[in-house]
């Protein structure tokens, strides 16, 4: 009798429309005296991610539909985020792009099925990416951002009163246009006369430019096999292309992937060790980003020593920055450079150097390589 009731309820479910994207259907039946659910997974156009429609059905035939975004972290690990809606999807020759409205984190930007940022906590990632290096520099004026298509890194750099010019170079015009239209929080940054937006491969752009910069930023997608930018994490790129474009007191900073106890060996420790082979002074630091469900890592490097003093950092924040930082202060910046024992030991013992022939990748696959 119970099974008969289940099948009867299933027969009255609406037929879901499909797209040219591949469709996989997963039925998850939780049988009880009154309810079960049907999980419909629509995959395609989002890399390793999927948007799921979940139908909850009770014995009185009432029906409620929920949407979930699912991100595959590893072969046997997935994260799920409840959605209000899928706001937009797009595809370029390099990457899949999606903008989701999540119930917990607000608007979320996805590239190749990987969470890039959410409006609820993106300030943590972008403040950590931009401000430590600028605050350690005696007087930064010119910044070059590799990637950064969503505009948030440029927004943070432009908060510094000493900054005269920010060059943002992203290879994917579709991503930049997408973010300019949909991420309204960065509208002022995109309109700022100090911002020079360039659509090009960052490597090629740096090679052809004669000017040097006080800070170069790697706001790149994670190194993924087949992705558009893993070559920009290699020793040869840092040594032959990037470093010559830094001023005498210049600082390079890059996002360096997950840095948790269980995830820091994927790429974080390798990026740190690779930079140690190129620069005299290298500092790794981390912060927890809730929407990433992990600790995240950044690495900054220079041939000049860093002065990490909480009081000095706080003074420079007050003197240099327009507005108020939401996450960083001098004390939190200094503390972020202190690793737990497990990660600290891994950084000391890491021997892998990132090369094109011997690269490490985040789980997942991109669409195309850099030109």
């Amino acid at each position: 009798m119970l099974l008969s009731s289940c099948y009867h309820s299933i027969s009255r479910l609406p037929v879901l429309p499909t797209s040219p994207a591949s469709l996989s259907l997963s039925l998850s039946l939780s049988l009880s005296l009154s309810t079960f659910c049907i999980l419909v997974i629509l995959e395609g156009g989002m890399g390793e991610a999927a948007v799921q429609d979940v139908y909850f059905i009770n014995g009185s035939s009432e029906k409620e539909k929920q949407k979930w975004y699912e991100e595959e972290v590893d072969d046997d690990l997935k994260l799920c985020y409840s959605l209000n809606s899928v706001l937009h999807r797009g595809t370029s020759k390099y990457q899949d792009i999606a903008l989701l409205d999540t119930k917990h984190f607000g608007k979320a930007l996805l590239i190749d099925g990987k969470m890039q940022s959410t409006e609820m906590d993106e300030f943590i990632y972008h403040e950590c990416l931009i401000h430590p290096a600028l605050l350690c520099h005696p007087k930064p004026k010119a910044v070059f951002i590799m990637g950064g298509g969503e505009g948030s890194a440029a927004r943070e750099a432009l908060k510094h009163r000493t900054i005269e010019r920010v060059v943002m170079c992203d290879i994917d015009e579709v991503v930049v246009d997408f973010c300019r239209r949909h991420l309204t929080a960065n509208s002022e940054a995109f309109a700022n006369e100090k911002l020079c937006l360039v659509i090009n491969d960052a490597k090629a752009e740096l090679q052809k430019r004669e000017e040097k910069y006080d800070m170069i930023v790697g706001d790149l997608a994670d190194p993924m096999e087949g992705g558009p930018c893993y070559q920009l994490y290699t020793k040869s790129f840092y040594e032959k292309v990037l470093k010559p474009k830094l001023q005498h007191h210049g600082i390079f900073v890059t996002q360096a992937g997950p840095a948790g106890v269980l995830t820091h060996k994927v790429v974080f420790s390798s990026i740190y060790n690779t930079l140690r082979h190129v620069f005299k002074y290298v500092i790794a630091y981390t912060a927890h980003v809730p929407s990433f469900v992990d600790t995240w890592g950044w690495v900054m490097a220079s041939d000049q020593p860093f002065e990490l003093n909480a009081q000095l950092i706080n003074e420079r924040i007050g003197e240099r920055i327009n507005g108020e930082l939401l996450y960083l202060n001098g004390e939190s910046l200094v503390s972020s450079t202190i690793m737990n024992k497990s990660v600290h030991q891994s950084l000391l013992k890491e021997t892998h150097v990132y090369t094109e022939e011997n690269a490490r990748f985040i789980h997942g696959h991109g669409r195309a390589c850099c030109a």
Side-chain angles (χ1 to χ4, degrees):
M1 182 175 178
L2 178 61
L3 287 177
S4 174
S5 174
C6 290
Y7 282 117
H8 180 66
S9 297
I10 291 174
S11 69
R12 286 184 282 123
L13 281 176
V15 177
L16 295 179
T18 62
S19 67
S22 61
L23 170 67
S24 68
L25 177 65
S26 172
L27 296 183
S28 176
L29 300 182
S30 176
L31 298 180
S32 67
L33 290 177
S34 60
T35 66
F36 67 84
C37 74
I38 296 179
L39 177 63
V40 180
I41 307 176
L42 295 173
E43 297 187 70
M46 294 181 70
E48 296 295 314
V51 173
Q52 308 173 346
D53 286 341
V54 183
Y55 290 84
F56 293 96
I57 305 170
N58 62 30
S60 62
S61 299
E62 294 176 355
K63 181 169 85 263
E64 180 183 357
K65 177 180 173 182
Q66 273 188 310
K67 286 182 178 290
W68 290 81
Y69 152 62
E70 180 183 274
E71 179 175 324
E72 186 172 302
V73 180
D74 210 332
D75 291 331
D76 55 3
L77 181 62
K78 294 181 179 180
L79 303 175
C80 289
Y81 303 78
S82 181
L83 300 182
N84 291 315
S85 63
V86 178
L87 298 174
H88 192 80
R89 286 183 180 177
T91 301
S92 74
K93 69 176 183 178
Y94 300 105
Q95 299 161 120
D96 296 318
I97 315 149
L99 186 66
L100 310 179
D101 181 14
T102 71
K103 292 182 182 293
H104 194 77
F105 295 106
K107 290 181 182 178
L109 176 67
L110 277 68
I111 293 181
D112 281 340
K114 297 292 184 182
M115 184 78 77
Q116 301 299 305
S117 67
T118 73
E119 64 179 340
M120 186 67 70
D121 65 2
E122 60 86 9
F123 66 91
I124 302 173
Y125 172 92
H126 290 105
E127 285 190 14
C128 288
L129 175 68
I130 296 298
H131 298 296
L134 286 178
L135 292 168
C136 285
H137 193 284
K139 193 175 182 181
K141 295 182 179 180
V143 175
F144 186 98
I145 300 172
M146 302 188 299
E150 68 178 274
S152 298
R155 179 197 69 211
E156 294 301 317
L158 289 165
K159 289 180 179 179
H160 285 250
R161 298 186 182 100
T162 63
I163 294 300
E164 298 175 355
R165 178 174 169 82
V166 175
V167 179
M168 187 180 88
C169 180
D170 198 293
I171 194 173
D172 199 333
E173 187 171 14
V174 174
V175 169
V176 175
D177 289 342
F178 179 95
C179 293
R180 199 184 336 217
R181 288 197 308 273
H182 296 286
L183 303 183
T184 55
N186 297 331
S187 297
E188 288 187 14
F190 278 113
N192 195 302
E193 61 182 12
K194 294 180 181 179
L195 179 66
C196 174
L197 175 59
V198 178
I199 303 300
N200 197 5
D201 170 31
K203 179 180 179 180
E205 189 66 25
L206 280 173
Q207 284 175 323
K208 76 177 187 179
R209 284 179 173 260
E210 296 182 0
E211 62 186 309
K212 294 188 176 185
Y213 301 91
D214 300 302
M215 182 173 80
I216 297 178
V217 181
D219 188 17
L220 303 164
D222 294 326
M224 295 171 64
E225 189 170 7
C229 53
Y230 76 87
Q231 299 97 326
L232 304 186
Y233 290 93
T234 61
K235 179 177 181 287
S236 62
F237 171 71
Y238 292 150
E239 198 168 50
K240 298 176 182 178
V241 179
L242 186 147
K243 187 176 179 180
K245 299 301 181 180
L246 285 170
Q247 297 279 14
H248 177 67
H249 284 280
I251 300 173
F252 170 61
V253 62
T254 182
Q255 79 91 10
V261 172
L262 301 180
T263 55
H264 66 276
K265 293 182 181 179
V266 180
V267 294
F268 177 61
S269 59
S270 175
I271 293 170
Y272 171 78
N273 187 57
T274 301
L275 286 167
R276 288 179 65 193
H277 282 73
V278 179
F279 292 90
K280 292 180 181 178
Y281 302 95
V282 179
I283 293 179
Y285 57 102
T286 64
H288 178 69
V289 181
S291 61
F292 293 173
V293 200
D294 205 347
T295 300
W296 213 253
W298 299 264
V299 183
M300 57 182 178
S302 179
D303 278 347
Q304 304 300 319
F306 292 98
E307 188 174 0
L308 278 177
N309 177 281
Q311 182 178 346
L312 176 62
I313 295 297
N314 283 330
E315 289 174 357
R316 287 181 173 176
I317 289 174
E319 294 168 356
R320 296 183 182 182
I321 294 179
N322 290 313
E324 185 176 353
L325 298 184
L326 299 176
Y327 181 78
L328 274 181
N329 57 20
E331 291 76 14
S332 65
L333 173 52
V334 172
S335 67
S336 72
T337 66
I338 302 173
M339 306 291 119
N340 63 64
K341 182 178 179 180
S342 176
V343 176
H344 177 68
Q345 290 294 324
S346 294
L347 294 182
L348 291 178
K349 295 177 181 179
E350 182 63 77
T351 60
H352 181 263
V353 175
Y354 216 101
T355 66
E356 290 190 23
E357 298 76 27
N358 186 24
R360 289 181 180 176
F361 299 109
I362 296 287
H363 181 80
H365 294 276
R367 290 179 55 85
C369 295
C370 282

